Amino acid sequence: MRAGTRNLLGLPAVAVALLTALLTTAPPAAAGPLIGGHWAKDGLARAQIYFVDHTGANWPVGGTVNEWNKASGVDSYYVTSCPGSWLHCVNVWEWNDSGDNRYGVTFYNIGANGHFTSAEVWLNSGLARNATQTRKTACHEEGHVLGLDHQFTRTSCLMSGDAVANGISVYPSADDLATLKSLYAHGN
Ligand SMILES: [Zn+2]
Ligand SMILES: [Zn+2]
């Protein structure tokens, strides 16, 4: 597994079929790569995702969630406990293994209508050796949670790899935010 990639093991067969269908039909207008899921709005004007931070002070989960909250059509909240079991709560954990080449992992499942049914994030403290990398990794995994796949431009934290060595942004790109606006511009 290469560093920074999300884990696809949690993806059920139906989700793989949905992803294939998405990739072989019409991509969204903004053309950013997607992982094939998005969060339901549940009758609200915008989908709401609560990132529940269980990490230590080294991980800038609050600051990176605030950056993702700039996207239109989807609200990202930073909390330290889930405000309600009926809400879209995504636990963010850290682990420490310098022998594991993954900076972070996002697990997710996709159910009916392409809606995520669950997601959780793990951030590897054993690899993130500086504040630039922790910020980039948190931004990267949170972007997967919202539905974005990898980008191949340094202006997006969704590019994989070492942030310092490769000069990768620690922020979502304008294209990432436009892709989310397109992904969440639908009825439910
Ligand atoms: Zn990734
Ligand atoms: Zn939907």
Side-chain angles (χ1 to χ4, degrees):
M1 268 175 270
R2 60 206 165 93
T5 56
R6 75 198 183 285
N7 193 307
L8 288 167
L9 295 178
L11 209 60
V14 61
V16 174
L18 280 168
L19 183 61
T20 304
L22 191 80
L23 292 173
T24 52
T25 55
L34 302 168
I35 61 174
H38 64 281
W39 294 94
K41 294 182 180 177
D42 299 329
L44 301 170
R46 296 177 298 280
Q48 299 184 346
I49 295 89
Y50 293 83
F51 288 90
V52 186
D53 187 9
H54 302 280
T55 69
N58 285 344
W59 287 102
V61 176
T64 47
V65 165
N66 285 340
E67 292 299 322
W68 284 114
N69 194 37
K70 294 177 180 175
S72 298
V74 55
D75 294 339
S76 296
Y77 296 105
Y78 174 84
V79 292
T80 53
S81 64
C82 183
S85 59
W86 62 93
L87 298 169
H88 300 315
C89 286
V90 175
N91 289 312
V92 181
W93 308 94
E94 67 175 291
W95 91 105
N96 192 330
D97 185 355
S98 60
D100 190 327
N101 69 358
R102 297 171 299 178
Y103 285 108
V105 187
T106 297
F107 296 93
Y108 59 91
N109 286 289
I110 302 173
N113 302 317
H115 291 153
F116 289 119
T117 54
S118 67
E120 69 179 54
V121 168
W122 288 81
L123 303 170
N124 188 358
S125 296
L127 275 197
R129 300 183 180 89
N130 55 71
T132 300
Q133 188 64 46
T134 52
R135 185 156 186 118
K136 183 266 192 180
T137 299
C139 177
H140 183 108
E141 301 304 332
E142 291 158 10
H144 284 324
V145 168
L146 298 178
L148 300 176
D149 207 340
H150 290 140
Q151 292 279 0
F152 298 92
T153 167
R154 292 179 175 82
T155 57
S156 170
C157 66
L158 278 153
M159 183 169 179
S160 293
D162 186 302
V164 174
N166 298 304
I168 301 169
S169 174
V170 301
Y171 295 101
S173 69
D175 190 58
D176 293 335
L177 298 180
T179 300
L180 287 177
K181 182 179 181 180
S182 172
L183 178 63
Y184 285 92
H186 72 298
N188 63 1

